[in-house]
Amino acid sequence: EVQLVQSGGGLVQDGGSLRLSCAASGFAFNLYDMSWVRQAPGKGLEWVSGINKGGEDTSYADSVKGRFTISRDNAKRTLLLQMNSLKPEDTAMYYCAAGDLKIMTVLKRKEDFGIWGAGTQVTVSS
């Protein structure tokens, strides 16, 4: 079964840190670009960060650049997102997703493309 199982997230104070994990199974993880995408209540999808198949190239939305770090371990089939200096505006459901980065950065609906995790809630209190 194709799966992305997410862990991490939770409630943290303004300025705090969290780490999100995403474990892949059932597909060739090392052949897929990976992304983190978030959705705040009442808002659309917002691409947060991406990493290419080999892990050499990373990219970030301006809103998180310098605060978030994406990484992957292809041997362990795992994707990570280290989030530092969190702000209340980072509050959202966070999803890991497999699929071409160019498409993920502009995707409007999860069901239209890619392999998605179930999501994990991140709440930053002020």
Side-chain angles (χ1 to χ4, degrees):
E1 182 184 1
V2 173
Q3 273 191 316
L4 289 170
V5 178
Q6 298 184 224
S7 59
L11 175 64
V12 66
Q13 288 189 331
D14 191 354
S17 297
L18 285 172
R19 189 176 81 161
L20 305 183
S21 297
C22 175
S25 61
F27 67 99
F29 179 73
N30 61 317
L31 297 183
Y32 282 77
D33 297 335
M34 295 296 298
S35 291
W36 289 97
V37 180
R38 67 188 181 187
Q39 187 166 26
K43 297 194 175 181
L45 296 178
E46 178 189 11
W47 176 85
V48 172
S49 180
I51 188 166
N52 73 329
K53 301 173 184 61
E56 305 93 354
D57 296 324
T58 59
S59 50
Y60 300 90
D62 287 344
S63 58
V64 307
K65 203 171 290 184
R67 300 187 296 121
F68 290 11
T69 303
I70 190 171
S71 61
R72 68 188 295 166
D73 185 331
N74 283 346
K76 296 182 179 178
R77 304 168 63 85
T78 300
L79 177 73
L80 299 175
L81 185 68
Q82 178 66 42
M83 304 184 294
N84 298 329
S85 302
L86 282 160
K87 305 175 182 180
E89 51 263 44
D90 294 317
T91 294
M93 185 72 76
Y94 283 70
Y95 299 92
C96 62
D100 186 271
L101 283 178
K102 293 187 184 67
I103 296 175
M104 282 296 174
T105 58
V106 297
L107 196 66
K108 301 299 183 189
R109 301 191 314 163
K110 298 193 302 290
E111 54 267 32
D112 287 345
F113 179 77
I115 302 167
W116 292 77
T120 188
Q121 180 66 38
V122 170
T123 302
V124 185
S125 63
S126 55

